[in-house]
Amino acid sequence: MIELRNLVKRYGSHLAVDHLNLTIEEGKIYGFLGPNGAGKSTTMNMMTGYLSPTEGEIIINGHDILEEPEEAKKCIGYLPEQPPVYMDMTVTEYLNFCAGLKNVPKDKRAAQIESVIHMTRLDGVEGRLIHNLSKGYRQRVGLAQAILGFPPIIILDEPTVGLDPKQIIEIRDLIRQLSEKHTVILSSHILSEVQEICDQIIIISHGKLIANDSADHLETHLKGSAVLQLTLQADAEDTGDLLNLVSGVTVQELNENDDGTTTALVEMEPGSDPRADIFFTFARAKKAILEMTVQTASLEDVFLELTEDGGIPAKSAPAASEAPAEPEPGWELEEESEEGGTD
């Protein structure tokens, strides 16, 4: 659906996007992550045609966005972080205006507007001025205009900002619903949200692609072996001796507690699950296991490890290129400076 080839964007001497290669496949929800200033908004704005790349190509559903901009942009619905709404219009007037911009046939506009109003839970406020709506409802109006025309690709930059918990759940459900017929690219700083609804996670740092995989695969790849935490009704010496009888585990830590129990941290070999062997080993020794918990890496752990330590090579990443130039004093990185909408 989208292919980025050797994409570069420079602001003066600052390299915001550094030779980025990426392929977006059909029918998935992609989570787009990166620290502030990593190049997320710049990349999304180039994918939508809002910004032109310094170098490289962007192919949208078979159309080069520079050579066939109209055909390429027809394939995309975009919600910027700041929804591009006109405050002096009613919801229906604004959506009708957007439908005209998107060349939705006149005989289909009313039905489409009614459909997106229902999808985004704007029923009951469609006749109100956008100025009089809450921030959460304005966000919904922005989402409705992105969906209008039902393009095959929908790009959402922080779509749940300003919404209350109930609205966030509704928008997440809507994104899942959209993924049945659309490819969705979602940028968010709420990592738990990305982990919950996205099929694929893309992480960039300093304008470079450093990860492109599912959350589960990223966690497994980075952390390698899983760690098992046990609380056992035995002293530390007996616990260590018994754990050494179990194949596929390495004792990392033993701590004897004041109540006579022992807390153990055990590293498990990749792909193995020795929990049953541990259970029967301690049962035969008549030592009770009071607790057994597998400790797994969270997406927060993955994100911090990748962005702070330089990351791991992504599956679709290009060969290493020259490191991006450091921004000159006074530069505002694009995450903070590009607040313009598409009005």
Side-chain angles (χ1 to χ4, degrees):
M1 299 298 290
I2 299 179
E3 189 173 358
L4 309 182
R5 301 173 182 170
N6 207 35
L7 196 64
V8 175
K9 183 64 179 179
R10 291 187 178 90
Y11 297 105
S13 62
H14 173 56
L15 187 59
V17 178
D18 184 5
H19 299 88
L20 185 62
N21 288 272
L22 180 64
T23 299
I24 303 295
E25 298 176 359
E26 185 176 1
K28 289 185 178 181
I29 304 175
Y30 286 84
F32 202 38
L33 302 177
N36 286 334
K40 299 190 306 297
S41 290
T42 296
T43 301
M44 296 177 86
N45 283 330
M46 286 191 289
M47 284 194 288
T48 59
Y50 183 63
L51 288 176
S52 297
T54 306
E55 299 175 25
E57 295 178 288
I58 303 172
I59 309 300
I60 307 293
N61 206 17
H63 304 285
D64 189 308
I65 202 165
L66 295 179
E67 296 180 0
E68 302 175 272
E70 290 189 10
E71 291 302 317
K73 292 176 185 180
K74 284 180 183 178
C75 301
I76 295 176
Y78 180 39
L79 172 63
E81 186 174 354
Q82 300 294 328
V85 295
Y86 288 108
M87 298 296 185
D88 57 348
M89 289 183 174
T90 67
V91 173
T92 300
E93 287 171 344
Y94 172 70
L95 293 178
N96 190 60
F97 170 70
C98 291
L101 292 179
K102 293 187 174 189
N103 292 322
V104 176
K106 290 185 177 180
D107 60 341
K108 296 181 179 179
R109 288 182 191 176
Q112 283 204 21
I113 290 170
E114 182 180 354
S115 177
V116 298
I117 283 175
H118 179 69
M119 290 173 69
T120 53
R121 307 292 195 273
L122 286 168
D123 307 272
V125 301
E126 60 266 49
R128 294 177 59 182
L129 289 174
I130 295 174
H131 173 76
N132 295 328
L133 298 179
S134 67
K135 183 178 179 181
Y137 271 102
R138 291 177 192 172
Q139 192 77 3
R140 290 175 183 231
V141 174
L143 183 57
Q145 68 78 26
I147 299 170
L148 199 60
F150 303 107
I153 302 164
I154 296 177
I155 299 177
L156 309 174
D157 195 355
E158 302 284 351
T160 57
V161 169
L163 304 185
D164 62 39
K166 182 175 182 294
Q167 292 172 330
I168 289 173
I169 292 171
E170 291 175 349
I171 295 300
R172 288 177 183 174
D173 290 340
L174 174 58
I175 292 171
R176 292 189 189 97
Q177 179 184 342
L178 289 172
S179 70
E180 296 174 4
K181 297 182 179 179
H182 307 266
T183 299
V184 181
I185 303 172
L186 165 70
S187 171
S188 177
H189 284 97
I190 306 172
L191 299 186
S192 58
E193 176 175 80
V194 172
Q195 189 167 22
E196 181 180 344
I197 65 175
C198 294
D199 304 308
Q200 191 92 351
I201 294 174
I202 299 165
I203 303 178
I204 66 172
S205 183
H206 300 293
K208 293 183 178 182
L209 179 68
I210 58 174
N212 182 11
D213 211 333
S214 68
D216 291 341
H217 288 168
L218 282 174
E219 292 166 3
T220 301
H221 183 88
L222 285 173
K223 295 302 178 182
S225 304
V227 174
L228 192 63
Q229 179 175 312
L230 300 133
T231 302
L232 307 123
Q233 208 166 48
D235 59 32
E237 183 178 356
D238 288 344
T239 297
D241 291 341
L242 290 169
L243 287 173
N244 288 332
L245 298 175
V246 180
S247 61
V249 301
T250 303
V251 178
Q252 288 186 332
E253 189 177 326
L254 293 173
N255 294 307
E256 197 164 314
N257 305 313
D258 293 337
D259 59 1
T261 63
T262 296
T263 300
L265 290 179
V266 178
E267 183 179 337
M268 300 185 291
E269 289 183 358
S272 69
D273 187 354
R275 288 177 293 177
D277 290 341
I278 292 173
F279 172 81
F280 288 116
T281 298
F282 278 83
R284 284 192 293 269
K286 299 188 182 328
K287 304 292 185 181
I289 299 176
L290 304 179
E291 185 179 0
M292 186 186 298
T293 306
V294 178
Q295 296 182 342
T296 57
S298 66
L299 185 57
E300 286 85 354
D301 298 326
V302 172
F303 180 81
L304 290 174
E305 184 168 342
L306 286 172
T307 56
E308 290 183 356
D309 298 336
I312 57 174
K315 286 184 176 180
S316 56
S321 58
E322 183 179 347
E326 292 293 327
E328 295 177 354
W331 265 97
E332 291 290 326
L333 296 181
E334 91 293 339
E335 291 288 329
E336 299 171 358
S337 62
E338 290 173 17
E339 296 182 353
T342 57
D343 291 6

